[in-house]
Amino acid sequence: MSNLIIALASDPAAAKAQRVFLHKLDAVLVQVLKQDWPARWPTFLADLCAASRTSASLCENSMRILRLLSEEVFDFARGELTSAKTRDLKASLNTQFGEVHSLCMFALAAGGGDGPAAAAPQPSLIRATLDTLHAYLSWVPLAYVFESDVVSALVRLFPAPAFRSPALRCLSEVAALAVGPQHDAAFVSLLTVFMAALAPLIPPGTDVGAAYAAGSDEDKEFVLNLALFLAAFLRGHGRALEADGRCRSGPLLAALDVLASASFAPDDEVFKVCLDYWHTFVPGVYASATGAAALAGAAAAGPL
C-alpha cells in the first residue's frame, strides 16, 4: 500500500487524475498505522519524511497523511483504540515530531523539492503544510514552537493572500498555548512583528466592518480568522503585553483597535468572537478605572 501511494503521489498528473483513490489509500494507511505503528513499523515517520523530500507532489500527499494521523490519534481515537495504545501513539508522535518539524520547515522554505521545485514553491504544498502544522501545534513540545523558525515562517507567509487564513489558524493555535511567564517575551515579540505585517493589509483607521461587508468570501474568511487570532492572543497574553511599555503603547493598542473595528462586521460569528473577548476585557478595565477613581476621591477627601 505504501509503495502504491508513493507511485501515485510522485507523479503530479496521476495524483491529480486519481485524487479520490489516493485520498482513500491515505485514509486506509492511517488506519493501518494506528495498529502497526510504532511496534511493527518503528521507522514509519523517518521513511515518510525521507521519501517526501524527493517530490513536491509526494511531499504534499505526505502532509495529508501526517494531518490525518494527528487527527485520528488526538481527536478521533476515543472508542477505537485502547487507552494504552493511544498513549503509545501520542508518545511516539511527541518523541519523533522532530522528523515532522524538519519536513514542514523544508516544505515551507523550499516548496518540497530538491531540484527545480526548490526554486518554485507550490502554493498547494504550502497550504497543505500549514494545514498539517495546524493539526500539530496545539500539542507539540514547546521547544518546536519557541526555539525554532516555525512562528517566523508563519508570519512571513501571512501577508500572501493565498496563505493568510491557514497561517492565521496556525498562529491562533500558538496564541492559545498555555505557557509560563518565561515565554512572555516571545509573545510580545510575536504581536509586534505580526502587527507590523498586518499594517499594510489593514492600515490604521480602516473600517474593518465595512470592508467585511464589501469583501469577497476570502476576505470574510480572513476577517474571521483574524478576529479569532487576536481574541485568543489578547485573552491569553494580555497581561504580558500590558507590562511591556513599548508594546502597550503600540502593537497592543493597534490590535485592540482592529478587533474593535471588526466587532462591527455584519456577521454573527465574527461578532460573537469579538463579544466574547470584550466580555472578559471590559470588566477589568472598568474595575481598574473605577478603583482608581475611588482611590483618587478618597485621597481628595483627606483622612476620616
Side-chain angles (χ1 to χ4, degrees):
M1 184 181 300
S2 62
N3 290 336
L4 178 58
I5 290 174
I6 291 173
L8 286 174
S10 297
D11 183 351
K16 183 177 180 180
Q18 303 190 56
R19 181 177 58 183
V20 175
F21 178 49
L22 181 59
H23 289 182
K24 290 292 185 182
L25 287 173
D26 293 341
V28 174
L29 178 64
V30 170
Q31 295 302 318
V32 172
L33 289 169
K34 287 165 61 178
Q35 306 301 325
D36 284 2
W37 182 70
R40 299 186 185 91
W41 195 354
T43 62
F44 157 69
L45 274 183
D47 295 344
L48 179 74
C49 294
S52 300
R53 294 171 181 263
T54 63
S55 162
S57 59
L58 178 57
C59 187
E60 183 176 339
N61 190 69
S62 297
M63 291 300 171
R64 174 179 170 79
I65 293 173
L66 291 169
R67 177 173 58 81
L68 289 173
L69 181 61
S70 175
E71 291 173 350
E72 286 290 331
V73 172
F74 285 88
D75 299 331
F76 310 132
R78 184 175 300 175
E80 296 183 7
L81 300 170
T82 64
S83 57
K85 180 62 176 177
T86 302
R87 284 196 302 271
D88 286 346
L89 289 172
K90 290 181 178 180
S92 297
L93 278 173
N94 266 292
T95 56
Q96 299 183 41
F97 181 72
E99 298 279 358
V100 179
H101 173 268
S102 177
L103 180 63
C104 287
M105 298 309 299
F106 171 81
L108 293 179
D114 289 322
Q122 298 185 8
S124 60
L125 171 59
I126 294 178
R127 286 194 295 269
T129 304
L130 292 173
D131 289 340
T132 298
L133 279 173
H134 178 255
Y136 282 80
L137 281 172
S138 63
W139 56 263
V140 300
L142 293 179
Y144 288 109
V145 177
F146 297 106
E147 299 176 16
S148 74
D149 296 330
V150 166
V151 172
S152 60
L154 293 173
V155 175
R156 172 176 56 83
L157 290 169
F158 160 70
F163 310 135
R164 285 175 191 168
S165 288
L168 272 174
R169 287 194 289 270
C170 292
L171 288 170
S172 295
E173 291 294 338
V174 174
L177 291 173
V179 297
Q182 68 272 24
H183 297 296
D184 285 351
F187 283 107
V188 170
S189 176
L190 171 55
L191 186 68
T192 302
V193 174
F194 177 83
M195 294 309 298
L198 181 65
L201 307 179
I202 303 181
T206 299
D207 187 338
V208 179
Y212 180 96
S216 63
D217 290 342
E218 290 77 11
D219 294 332
K220 293 176 180 178
E221 182 185 11
F222 167 61
V223 171
L224 173 59
N225 284 301
L226 179 62
L228 287 167
F229 166 71
L230 290 176
F233 199 103
L234 297 175
R235 184 185 301 109
H237 312 288
R239 292 185 181 277
L241 301 173
E242 291 177 10
D244 187 285
R246 286 181 296 178
C247 183
R248 183 175 63 247
S249 60
L252 177 56
L253 285 179
L256 289 169
D257 184 64
V258 170
L259 197 60
S261 185
S263 302
F264 292 92
D267 180 86
D268 289 346
E269 191 169 358
V270 175
F271 177 70
K272 289 176 182 177
V273 170
C274 298
L275 181 64
D276 183 59
Y277 173 70
W278 299 127
H279 181 69
T280 61
F281 174 76
V282 172
V285 174
Y286 178 78
S288 176
T290 55
L295 287 175
L304 294 177

